[in-house]
């Protein structure tokens, strides 16, 4: 029954959209007429369905996400876009690995400590072990660095032992690193330290986390939802020794009465730049039993093939993520703005391109409308596409990405017709100019470049799917309306969406994409990354 309503809904939307008036369906439509097929009504219809409770917040790898993917595929099918995905579907299937703790425990001298309060361990940084790890002593090993210039492992018998290390690296009184010999820090990341511990046969690494409060808060957020990674990402954790991060309080518990001695040893390291260890008797037990499951996610592909034989092998990618946070208990994160708004916008732009193609005015270059999952899990769907592209990346002329375009932020409360433009000038001056001209000619939005600053503390340039293209040297423009009080809350619902501004943004996206897909010369990458 639900399915029938859903299919009927698609027919309703796709079968009879506000396309060009009948008498004009034979003439070659103008760009403005095509853009006019992007309407508030249709944006609203897509958005309400995608942000409905039925989609259960569209968390990657869940039934809700699959339902949303199927909705998008049926919309593409109803417009006549070809199925170019796996097994003649509209999907690029992605196998994700979901890692979580089945059982995680730490006890010191018989006292149990609380995960995510006194210590934390990441399932994707540990292989886990069936049996508890038991220790009668712990070795303080400085910073856990094993470098030619400075090594805490020098003359240390660590095989099968538990070690206690500081994060970071030893700096002398002048602020120079004992590893690099300069003010520049070395690349001894936690990953490298865990690999060195593994290589030296260490059984367990306790890391004294000097930013414990902030990091544990982040980890609580991460671990409260299913943590995913593409199955093809391999298992780097097999190269790491078992590990967990501990607060300074928990470190004191491990050290018992030896805290002062440890501080003395550390000060010796900082003073002389030579390792200074300490063996501390303590009864410690660690239980790390992991749960690893495979989950299927999908990217959805809508392809409009170019009409110009000389240009159709060049591809423009227009993208948005359609996944969101899912449910916590019965609470659904509908994700109306994040990112049902961007998904609806990309669908409407696809419809306009397909309408053009239907009337023989299709784009000269090919356009791939890419709706990705896995964004909320770390840009995983667009990463997967970039690593498994359907069209060679060197033929991908640009990426146009849309994420959260349905709301008005506090800064623009009285001037809602604006959009943040991020990244357009980072790799190509032409992309920036094309967007500016499209706006000046057709949509007259306020283009706000606040978040395009290289030192933007929010780092939005790195936080949506265009980054997986930009990172690979493909010019990318990101359209974003800013954040608001409902961001990543269950209150991000469809009733708060401003469709009048969304339709303008949708038309700007269309006009910029249209120019990119039809201009004689593909845009140049003329700005050094
Ligand atoms: Zn988003």
């Amino acid at each position: 029954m639900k399915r029938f309503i859903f299919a009927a809904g698609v027919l309703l939307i796709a079968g009879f959209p506000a396309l060009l008036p009948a008498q004009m369906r034979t003439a070659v439509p103008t760009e403005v007429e095509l853009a006019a097929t992007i309407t508030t009504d249709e944006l609203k219809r897509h958005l309400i369905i995608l942000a409905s409770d039925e989609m259960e917040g569209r968390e990657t790898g869940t039934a809700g996400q699959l339902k949303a993917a199927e909705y998008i595929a049926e919309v593409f099918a109803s417009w006549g876009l070809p199925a170019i995905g796996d097994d003649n579907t509209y999907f690029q299937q992605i196998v994700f690995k979901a890692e979580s703790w089945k059982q995680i425990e730490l006890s010191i001298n018989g006292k149990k400590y609380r995960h995510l309060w006194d210590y934390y361990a990441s399932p994707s940084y540990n292989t886990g072990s069936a049996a508890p790890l038991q220790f009668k002593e712990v070795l303080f090993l400085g910073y856990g660095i094993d470098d030619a210039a400075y090594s805490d492992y020098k003359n240390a018998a660590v095989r099968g032992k538990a070690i206690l290390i500081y994060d970071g690296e030893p700096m002398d009184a002048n602020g120079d690193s004992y590893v690099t010999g300069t003010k520049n820090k070395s690349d001894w990341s936690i990953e490298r330290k865990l690999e060195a511990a593994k290589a030296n046969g260490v059984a367990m690494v306790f890391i004294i986390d000097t930013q414990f409060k902030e990091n544990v808060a982040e980890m609580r957020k991460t671990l409260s939802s299913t943590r995913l990674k593409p199955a093809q990402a391999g298992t780097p954790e097999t190269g790491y020794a078992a590990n967990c991060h501990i607060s300074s309080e928990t470190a004191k518990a491990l050290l018992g009465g030896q805290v002062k001695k440890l501080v003395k040893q550390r000060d010796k390291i900082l003073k002389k730049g030579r390792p200074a260890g300490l063996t501390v008797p303590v009864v410690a037990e660690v239980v790390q039993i992991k749960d690893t499951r495979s989950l299927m996610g999908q990217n959805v592909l809508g392809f409009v093939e170019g009409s110009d034989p000389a240009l159709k092998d060049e591809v423009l990618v227009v993208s948005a993520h359609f996944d969101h946070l899912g449910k916590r208990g019965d609470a659904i994160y509908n994700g109306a703005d994040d990112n049902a708004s961007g998904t609806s916008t990309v669908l409407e732009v696809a419809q306009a391109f397909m309408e053009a193609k239907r009337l023989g005015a299709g784009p000269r270059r090919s356009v791939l409308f890419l709706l990705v999952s896995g964004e909320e899990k770390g840009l995983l769907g667009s990463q997967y596409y970039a690593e498994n592209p359907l069209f060679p990346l060197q033929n991908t002329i640009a990426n146009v990405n849309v994420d959260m375009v349905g709301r008005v932020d506090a800064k623009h409360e009285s001037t809602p017709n604006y959009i943040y433009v991020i990244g357009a000038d980072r790799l190509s001056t032409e992309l920036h100019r094309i967007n500016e001209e499209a706006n000046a000619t057709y949509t007259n939005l306020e283009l706000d470049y606040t978040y395009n600053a290289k030192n933007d503390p929010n780092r939005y340039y790195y936080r949506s799917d265009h980054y997986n293209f930009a990172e690979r040297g493909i010019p990318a423009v990101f359209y974003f309306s800013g954040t608001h009080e409902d961001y990543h809350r269950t209150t991000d619902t469809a009733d708060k969406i401003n469709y009048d501004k969304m339709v303008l943004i949708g038309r700007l996206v269309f006009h910029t994409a249209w120019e990119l897909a039809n201009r004689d010369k593909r845009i140049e990458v003329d700005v050094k990354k």
Side-chain angles (χ1 to χ4, degrees):
M1 182 63 194
K2 266 202 186 148
R3 192 141 184 69
F4 173 73
I5 295 170
F6 174 54
V10 170
L11 271 178
L12 246 177
I13 290 171
F16 321 100
L19 295 179
L20 296 169
Q23 73 275 14
M24 292 177 72
R25 288 208 180 143
T26 51
V28 173
T30 65
E31 201 180 324
V32 171
E33 286 160 349
L34 290 166
T37 67
I38 298 171
T39 66
T40 51
D41 280 356
E42 282 159 32
L43 288 168
K44 195 170 185 175
R45 284 183 202 151
H46 293 308
L47 193 143
I48 285 175
I49 287 180
L50 289 162
S52 66
D53 287 353
E54 193 183 342
M55 299 292 176
E56 302 177 308
R58 312 181 305 274
E59 184 175 9
T60 301
T62 68
Q65 183 253 277
L66 179 58
K67 240 183 238 163
E70 284 168 347
Y71 171 74
I72 296 165
E74 279 164 15
V75 168
F76 282 151
S78 69
W79 291 332
L81 282 79
I84 63 162
D86 302 344
D87 309 319
N88 302 319
T89 69
Y90 290 92
F91 297 156
Q92 184 181 36
Q93 298 283 354
I94 311 170
V95 183
F96 289 107
K97 213 164 54 166
E99 297 176 310
S100 59
W101 290 121
K102 197 183 276 176
Q103 197 184 346
I104 175 92
E105 285 171 18
L106 168 65
S107 69
I108 301 170
N109 297 328
K111 182 181 169 210
K112 283 222 162 120
Y113 287 77
R114 293 163 304 163
H115 189 228
L116 296 176
W117 291 96
D118 306 317
Y119 71 101
Y120 64 87
S122 165
S124 44
Y125 273 60
N126 283 281
T127 53
S129 69
L133 304 169
Q134 294 164 330
F135 306 98
K136 289 199 175 58
E137 62 184 17
V138 63
L139 269 65
F140 169 61
L141 211 73
Y143 295 82
I145 289 172
D146 193 11
D147 195 279
Y150 168 90
S151 175
D152 290 297
Y153 285 84
K154 204 168 167 210
N155 307 325
V158 299
R159 191 157 290 281
K161 300 275 171 67
I163 64 170
L164 176 66
I165 63 170
Y166 276 102
D167 56 11
E169 63 194 87
M171 314 294 277
D172 70 14
N174 306 324
D176 291 332
S177 159
Y178 281 111
V179 183
T180 62
T182 70
K183 299 263 180 300
N184 299 327
K185 291 222 166 132
S186 75
D187 59 358
W188 274 88
S189 61
I190 194 62
E191 289 83 0
R192 249 195 106 186
K193 290 183 180 186
L194 294 176
E195 281 163 2
K198 176 91 178 184
N200 283 284
V202 168
M204 182 76 209
V205 184
F206 293 107
I207 302 140
I208 303 172
D209 189 331
T210 50
Q211 313 282 322
F212 187 82
K213 227 158 157 247
E214 300 79 5
N215 292 341
V216 79
E218 205 45 50
M219 187 52 78
R220 263 188 226 126
K221 253 194 282 171
T222 309
L223 289 184
S224 67
S225 72
T226 310
R227 195 174 166 75
L228 291 184
K229 62 183 175 189
Q232 68 174 38
T235 52
E237 68 272 19
T238 54
Y240 303 155
N243 58 84
C244 69
H245 294 249
I246 60 176
S247 68
S248 54
E249 289 315 305
T250 309
K252 283 184 191 142
L254 263 179
L255 293 163
Q258 315 258 338
V259 176
K260 281 207 181 84
K261 268 195 189 157
L262 178 130
V263 173
K264 228 164 118 201
Q265 293 303 87
R266 188 201 56 198
D267 291 350
K268 231 190 258 173
I269 294 174
L270 298 179
K271 199 153 173 236
K272 299 190 178 142
R274 282 201 304 275
L278 177 72
T279 301
V280 179
V282 61
V283 177
E285 183 176 285
V286 177
V287 176
Q288 291 188 332
I289 301 177
K290 233 171 117 167
D291 183 22
T292 304
R293 288 169 298 133
S294 289
L295 293 175
M296 289 304 286
Q298 294 77 23
N299 289 338
V300 192
L301 313 159
F303 184 60
V304 177
E305 187 172 29
S307 58
D308 184 333
L311 296 180
K312 70 178 183 138
D313 288 342
E314 294 179 357
V315 179
L316 168 67
V317 175
V318 179
S319 63
H321 76 91
F322 70 94
D323 67 298
H324 195 49
L325 301 175
K327 298 196 299 186
R328 301 284 175 275
D330 294 333
I332 295 177
Y333 289 76
N334 297 93
D337 189 33
D338 190 9
N339 186 28
S341 67
T343 303
S344 307
T345 300
V346 169
L347 286 177
E348 278 299 285
V349 173
Q351 169 265 129
F353 270 86
M354 204 49 203
E355 182 61 7
K357 187 170 176 71
R358 201 172 63 79
L359 294 167
R364 297 170 65 197
R365 290 182 178 83
S366 297
V367 185
L368 176 66
F369 297 94
L370 176 65
L371 286 309
V372 294
S373 61
E375 192 271 355
E376 304 288 5
K377 303 288 182 186
L379 311 184
L380 299 181
S382 55
Q383 176 194 338
Y384 186 85
Y385 177 83
E387 289 169 356
N388 306 276
L390 267 80
F391 305 97
L393 292 186
Q394 63 269 26
N395 294 359
T396 303
I397 63 154
N399 168 240
V400 171
N401 186 51
V402 191
D403 194 350
M404 295 177 61
V405 291
R407 297 284 296 266
V408 176
D409 69 358
K411 177 181 170 188
H412 296 90
E413 214 166 332
S414 58
T415 55
N417 290 339
Y418 73 98
I419 187 72
Y420 292 103
V421 177
I422 301 170
D425 60 355
R426 293 287 180 103
L427 290 163
S428 163
T429 54
E430 287 176 305
L431 179 56
H432 173 76
R433 195 166 35 63
I434 286 167
N435 187 55
E436 285 268 341
E437 283 170 9
N439 184 54
T441 313
Y442 301 108
T443 46
N444 203 24
L445 287 156
E446 177 207 338
L447 302 184
D448 191 322
Y449 293 102
T450 306
Y451 296 141
N452 191 40
K454 288 243 167 71
N455 59 359
D456 165 38
N458 305 291
R459 297 173 57 77
Y460 288 125
Y461 179 64
Y462 304 92
R463 290 174 55 186
S464 190
D465 296 295
H466 59 283
Y467 187 65
N468 274 312
F469 291 92
E471 192 190 22
R472 291 166 173 83
I474 297 166
V477 54
F478 170 28
Y479 298 94
F480 175 55
S481 283
T483 189
H484 45 78
E485 69 277 9
D486 299 311
Y487 174 66
H488 279 197
R489 290 169 182 268
T490 55
T491 47
D492 176 6
T493 50
D495 55 310
K496 296 174 185 151
I497 298 293
N498 180 323
Y499 294 99
D500 294 332
K501 63 160 283 164
M502 230 178 106
V503 80
L504 283 176
I505 295 165
R507 290 177 184 168
L508 173 58
V509 172
F510 170 78
H511 287 293
T512 295
W514 188 257
E515 171 60 18
L516 289 167
N518 287 301
R519 67 204 314 273
D520 290 338
K521 229 168 123 293
R522 71 181 276 181
I523 56 170
E524 266 181 53
V525 178
D526 57 356
V527 181
K528 268 221 153 325
K529 205 162 83 163

